[in-house]
Amino acid sequence: MDLRVLPERLSVCRLPVDAPWPVPAAGTSFFSVTRTSVEVSLVCTEDAAPSGEHVRVEPDWRALEVAGPMDFSMVGVMAELTAPLADVDVSVFVVSTYDTDYVLVHAAALERAIDALRSAGHAVTAG
């Protein structure tokens, strides 16, 4: 599988379930929002991360974008990508869109993640 490392540093944020729907600032390059019955999760560039009393922000993430678009019939994509990362103790946060998937890893583990993915036969390029 082909992956591309996005250049931006990202934050993974947790907002209260009753928080207003986050809106990306003009020019924001990565912005993903998911609302459940108990929380609002936001992944955005570090400079776009919200603040507030009930907001939790985990900065310093990097994203590896899976080359897409991907067909919905593809099976085992995340297993194929996350197994080599688990083998080298790299934790992940996954974001999926209609066309592709993004595997986020902590910036400190990025080189280890790239090495593990390449060793597993994946092509990884800088963004």
Side-chain angles (χ1 to χ4, degrees):
M1 200 155 305
D2 292 342
L3 299 107
R4 178 176 70 101
V5 179
L6 301 185
E8 304 87 357
R9 286 184 180 266
L10 303 174
S11 288
V12 177
C13 312
R14 183 189 192 283
L15 290 72
V17 70
D18 59 350
W21 190 259
V23 177
T28 299
S29 58
F30 194 101
F31 198 85
S32 178
V33 182
T34 303
R35 182 185 301 270
T36 69
S37 62
V38 296
E39 69 172 303
V40 174
S41 290
L42 167 65
V43 180
C44 59
T45 55
E46 284 186 336
D47 61 342
S51 60
E53 181 181 350
H54 299 288
V55 175
R56 292 175 39 198
V57 177
E58 295 289 332
D60 236 10
W61 290 84
R62 298 295 303 276
L64 296 107
E65 176 186 31
V66 179
M70 296 169 33
D71 189 273
F72 281 103
S73 65
M74 293 179 71
V75 176
V77 173
M78 276 302 107
E80 196 175 315
L81 295 174
T82 59
L85 300 178
D87 289 344
V88 294
D89 295 323
V90 172
S91 63
V92 301
F93 187 94
V94 176
V95 175
S96 294
T97 67
Y98 189 91
D99 285 335
T100 194
D101 296 318
Y102 297 84
V103 178
L104 280 64
V105 300
H106 282 283
L110 180 62
E111 290 306 316
R112 193 163 21 119
I114 291 170
D115 290 345
L117 289 165
R118 286 180 176 156
S119 292
H122 303 290
V124 182
T125 59

